[in-house]
């Protein structure tokens, strides 16, 4: 019996891999119906910093990435590379 990989990329790989981390953050925020200021306040960051990250003017810090991954229930692969991993179907 061959082993199946634990996680497989979803179809979203092609759709999001050309986006920057900031673009993916903006998309997650907008899908959640949040304004920049609202998300920044919820996560205890300034809206100025969040806006700069979304525009690509500042790099995504590890601290902000941790908080965003936790808040939006995504992993680093999605945030940085646009790859969502999903569990493989069980046999």
């Amino acid at each position: 019996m061959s082993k199946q990989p634990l996680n497989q990329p979803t179809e979203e790989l092609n759709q999001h891999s050309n986006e920057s981390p900031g673009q993916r953050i903006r998309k997650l925020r907008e899908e959640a119906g949040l304004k920049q200021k609202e998300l920044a306040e919820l996560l205890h960051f300034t809206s100025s910093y969040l806006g700069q990250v979304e525009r690509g003017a500042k790099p995504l810090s590890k601290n902000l990435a941790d908080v965003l991954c936790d808040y939006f229930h995504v992993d680093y692969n999605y945030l940085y590379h646009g790859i969502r991993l999903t569990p493989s179907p069980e046999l």
Side-chain angles (χ1 to χ4, degrees):
M1 181 182 283
S2 67
K3 290 187 175 185
Q4 295 288 327
L6 293 177
N7 294 307
Q8 297 176 347
T10 66
E11 293 299 319
E12 293 187 56
L13 171 61
N14 295 331
Q15 182 180 347
H16 298 293
S17 60
N18 291 329
E19 294 177 345
S20 70
Q23 290 170 317
R24 283 187 284 279
I25 293 166
R26 171 179 263 161
K27 183 175 179 121
L28 288 167
R29 176 180 58 76
E30 289 175 347
E31 286 174 353
L34 295 169
K35 295 181 179 178
Q36 249 179 24
K37 183 176 181 177
E38 293 171 323
L39 181 60
E41 287 175 359
L42 285 169
L43 304 180
H44 305 288
F45 286 89
T46 66
S47 58
S48 173
Y49 174 63
L50 182 58
Q52 290 172 332
V53 171
E54 285 187 2
R55 288 189 310 278
K58 292 239 180 193
L60 176 60
S61 71
K62 170 87 167 75
N63 189 26
L64 180 57
D66 288 342
V67 173
L68 287 166
C69 286
D70 186 52
Y71 185 81
F72 288 114
H73 305 288
V74 296
D75 63 18
Y76 293 103
N77 285 311
Y78 176 72
L79 214 53
Y80 285 103
H81 307 291
I83 302 169
R84 285 192 193 236
L85 299 177
T86 57
S88 295
E90 294 193 28
L91 298 175

